[in-house]
């Protein structure tokens, strides 16, 4: 679950896994599509910033 600010009703609400309708991903991000509590279709993008790999001495 995660917190999302709706672009339609402008409320910040908790989104549960049961609300997720679709997931798309790439190497560094995930995009969740769902319907807000107000009924508006929404998308939430999550991921990490591109961070260069660091060699670790073994």
């Amino acid at each position: 679950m995660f917190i999302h600010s709706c672009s339609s009703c402008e409320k910040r609400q908790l989104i549960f896994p049961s609300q997720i309708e679709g997931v798309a991903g790439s190497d560094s991000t995930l995009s969740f599509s769902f319907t807000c509590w107000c009924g508006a279709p929404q998308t939430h993008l999550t991921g990490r910033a591109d961070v260069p790999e660091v060699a670790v001495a073994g």
Side-chain angles (χ1 to χ4, degrees), residues 26 41 48:
S26 69
R48 62 173 178 79

Side-chain angles (χ1 to χ4, degrees), residues 6-33:
C6 179
S7 62
S8 181
C9 68
E10 298 181 0
K11 291 183 181 178
R12 187 174 165 168
Q13 301 195 29
L14 191 58
I15 304 300
F16 292 92
S18 60
Q19 290 174 268
I20 297 174
E21 300 163 352
V23 178
S26 69
D27 289 342
S28 61
T29 62
L30 282 175
S31 175
F32 299 101
S33 56

